[in-house]
Amino acid sequence: MSVFVGVDVGGSKVLAAVVSPTGEVVRSVLARTPGRLVEAAVVEDVMTDAVLSVADGETIKAIGVAAAGFVDESGARVVFAPHLPWRDEDVRQRLAERWGIPVVLDNDANCTAVAE
């Protein structure tokens, strides 16, 4: 079975969840964010561990990332994240290459508004 994963990444936590096609959270994993004073790759390692853990061996079709920070209008770059090490970084492309699947990126508040 293929699944969709949503990842909420902020200054204190990474929350990854498998989400059904109707938006129901099937299962989730919580991890601590290492903070803004580490390299971006360290935060992305924590995100990757959470995604793999929550997927539990199932094939992931796509991942949506809600980032606590300013995301450019194209949804490609995190321009500034006050509690994360991302500063004008092409986060979407880097994660898509790392994970080998489509990634959608937006600001966490925008994601909350869409979910509502």
Side-chain angles (χ1 to χ4, degrees):
M1 181 169 123
S2 296
V3 298
F4 294 93
V5 175
V7 180
D8 178 20
V9 59
S12 62
K13 69 165 176 40
V14 171
L15 177 63
V18 169
V19 183
S20 75
T22 60
E24 178 185 347
V25 175
V26 176
R27 62 184 168 272
S28 63
V29 169
L30 184 66
R32 184 172 171 80
T33 305
R36 66 181 173 86
L37 300 177
V38 298
E39 292 183 22
V42 175
V43 173
E44 294 160 16
D45 289 343
V46 172
M47 293 171 67
T48 299
D49 290 345
V51 164
L52 293 174
S53 178
V54 79
D56 197 27
E58 295 185 75
T59 301
I60 303 170
K61 238 181 157 151
I63 298 176
V65 176
F70 301 114
V71 176
D72 73 356
E73 62 188 35
S74 71
R77 303 182 76 77
V78 176
V79 178
F80 176 76
H83 305 291
L84 296 165
W86 293 326
R87 303 290 185 271
D88 196 30
E89 309 230 14
D90 194 351
V91 173
R92 180 179 64 192
Q93 181 65 32
R94 201 164 51 229
L95 292 174
E97 288 174 2
R98 178 184 264 219
W99 294 336
I101 54 176
V103 172
V104 176
L105 171 70
D106 203 350
N107 169 269
D108 57 352
N110 291 343
C111 292
T112 299
V114 169
E116 284 297 318

